[in-house]
Amino acid sequence: QVQLVESGGGLVQAGGSLRLSCAASGRTFGRASMGWFRQAPGKEREFVAGITWIGGNTYYTDPVKGRFTISRDNAKNTVLLQMNSLKPEDTAVYYCASSGSVVPGPNAKYDYWGQGTQVSVSS
């Protein structure tokens, strides 16, 4: 089993920045990719960004390109999401997820999930 714990969410004004962290533990071997998703009230869960543990290949959804950066620290089994130039529409619960896919995109099978961390951006 894989356990994922997100942290770093909070309240920020539009234009501000936050850094989310996802710590992975348990049976993480063979898990090739990590991803960040978000879900706003009344909306479906949305893929945000993904990264492979080996190689650090990344994938971003268009709305966050140029503003968000996903990275990983293999030694710490941790994935980060640096969010800059935040907009009110970024407000959502952000979830970290693990996938066995070597392609860290939205259509990969993410079968382990964290509990989520709230990001709120005021205008």
Side-chain angles (χ1 to χ4, degrees), residues 6-116:
E6 304 97 331
S7 62
L11 303 173
V12 66
Q13 295 185 40
S17 299
L18 284 173
R19 186 176 69 173
L20 305 184
S21 179
C22 174
S25 61
R27 301 177 71 252
T28 60
F29 63 90
R31 313 300 296 170
S33 301
M34 298 287 287
W36 284 98
F37 292 76
R38 64 187 182 187
Q39 187 165 26
K43 298 179 65 177
E44 294 186 347
R45 184 182 61 197
E46 174 189 29
F47 174 83
V48 176
I51 190 169
T52 58
W53 288 109
I54 299 175
N57 298 317
T58 58
Y59 193 115
Y60 297 93
T61 189
D62 285 342
V64 309
K65 288 181 179 178
R67 299 189 298 121
F68 291 10
T69 302
I70 187 170
S71 61
R72 91 290 195 202
D73 185 334
N74 293 65
K76 297 181 179 180
N77 272 353
T78 298
V79 175
L80 304 175
L81 184 68
Q82 179 67 47
M83 305 184 295
N84 298 326
S85 301
L86 283 162
K87 304 175 180 179
E89 49 263 47
D90 295 318
T91 295
V93 176
Y94 283 69
Y95 297 92
C96 176
S98 172
S99 175
S101 175
V102 298
V103 179
N107 296 320
K109 183 179 181 180
Y110 294 89
D111 42 11
Y112 293 96
W113 296 81
Q115 82 289 346

